[in-house]
Amino acid sequence: MPKYAVIMPAAGSSERFGGSEKKPFAKLDGRPVFLKTLEAFVNREDVCQTLLVVAKEDAERMRTSYGANLAFMNVRLIEGGARRRDSVAHALREVRDDAEYVAVHDAVRPCVTQEMIDAVFAEAVKSGAAILACPVAATLKRVSGAGVVEETVPRDALHEAQTPQVFRKDLLLDAYSRLAADDPVTDDAQVVERAGQAVRLVASDASNLKITVRADLSLASAILKSRPTRAVRKMGAFEEAQW
Ligand code: C5P
């Protein structure tokens, strides 16, 4: 069975979220979002290591408030960086030798399902680089600085990239080592694309949402409550819909 190290970035500043609390620590059905997200990975047999990346100023509070949970789940804390790419790069340095694959998953995507993880993990083994993504449903406008529509962007081939994003470890390490210091990449697939490697999409849906604004917490709670129990959940359609 291939082994995966999971890097979970949670070191952002949460500017769009508002308030004093950062979004990974906000409560979702009474528990912090990042704990809910971690639970999707830590009990999987194919996950050999889990690295949670937090901002320097949050590390102490994490140890005090959640040290027992993290120890129980065998999760290691890593100090984040200024940009998401820096946070991931810090964790990459700590990935264990026995991990053949690295999965990066945002701490603020707590609604990811086991079926989604299974599908993107399997595609990474086939192709070396795979991400969850869903077709864009909205009509997209490119707008000038003055708030005037310049163009309606055809959405036919557009997809929204999600996480997990999963890569052969050597490939991801090599891509990060080549990345220009000022490259403004916003996800790990882009790092790998820059290195000339094809990235495969695995079909997902909007339920794997990224908590961005406060209202997303209610949405995430509703999504989690709407799901059937594990015993009867089956996602044949999801597998068939793979690219
Ligand atoms: O900002 P955005 O919503 O794209 O962040 C996605 C994830 O990356 C969040 O979980 C956030 O905490 C994390 N992040 C990070 N380090 C940064 C910026 C973002 O770990 N410097």
Side-chain angles (χ1 to χ4, degrees):
M1 181 196 292
K3 292 289 180 197
Y4 301 78
V6 175
I7 294 177
M8 195 169 287
S13 55
S14 302
E15 273 162 29
R16 288 168 290 182
F17 195 59
S20 55
E21 189 179 47
K22 293 183 184 174
K23 50 191 184 175
F25 307 104
K27 297 284 192 307
L28 171 58
D29 297 332
R31 305 185 61 228
V33 168
F34 78 90
L35 273 185
K36 190 94 200 131
T37 312
L38 278 171
E39 281 164 5
F41 293 91
V42 291
N43 292 321
R44 291 181 62 97
E45 276 185 25
D46 49 8
V47 169
C48 64
Q49 184 184 27
T50 310
L51 302 167
L52 178 67
V53 192
V54 297
K56 191 175 183 173
E57 66 269 19
D58 296 325
E60 197 47 50
R61 173 182 157 210
M62 283 294 278
R63 286 198 187 89
T64 315
S65 305
Y66 303 108
N69 303 68
L70 297 176
F72 182 72
M73 294 192 289
N74 207 11
V75 173
R76 192 172 150 197
L77 284 185
I78 304 287
E79 195 176 297
R83 301 165 296 177
R84 186 183 183 283
R85 56 169 281 185
D86 302 316
S87 294
V88 174
H90 288 183
L92 268 179
R93 295 200 290 250
E94 306 299 330
V95 168
R96 270 171 31 180
D97 287 346
D98 60 334
E100 293 162 73
Y101 295 87
V102 177
V104 185
H105 184 67
D106 293 330
V108 289
R109 288 192 190 268
C111 298
V112 67
T113 66
Q114 292 307 305
E115 289 79 3
M116 290 173 186
I117 299 171
D118 288 345
V120 71
F121 274 23
E123 184 55 47
V125 172
K126 274 195 232 156
S127 58
I131 67 171
L132 288 186
C134 68
V136 167
T139 295
L140 300 174
K141 309 285 186 191
R142 194 185 307 282
V143 178
S144 73
V148 176
V149 174
E150 290 180 335
E151 184 196 1
T152 298
V153 184
R155 68 178 174 208
D156 314 354
L158 291 184
H159 292 78
E160 178 193 328
Q162 300 180 344
T163 67
Q165 302 196 343
V166 192
F167 310 93
R168 244 185 26 238
K169 180 177 67 180
D170 58 329
L171 191 151
L172 187 61
L173 286 171
D174 178 61
Y176 261 92
S177 73
R178 291 158 184 252
L179 192 62
D182 58 352
D183 196 324
V185 291
T186 50
D187 72 353
D188 303 284
Q190 209 181 350
V191 177
V192 167
E193 291 157 34
R194 291 271 198 261
Q197 169 73 37
V199 175
R200 301 281 300 179
L201 300 192
V202 174
S204 183
D205 60 56
S207 71
N208 182 25
L209 87 167
K210 182 166 79 168
I211 306 272
T212 306
V213 294
R214 207 156 278 278
D216 291 334
L217 289 170
S218 315
L219 206 52
S221 171
I223 289 167
L224 292 172
K225 288 197 178 83
S226 74
R227 296 235 171 97
T229 59
R230 283 279 308 144
V232 294
R233 205 189 308 155
K234 184 86 186 95
M235 278 193 73
F238 182 86
E239 280 152 33
E240 280 159 26
Q242 272 197 36
W243 275 261

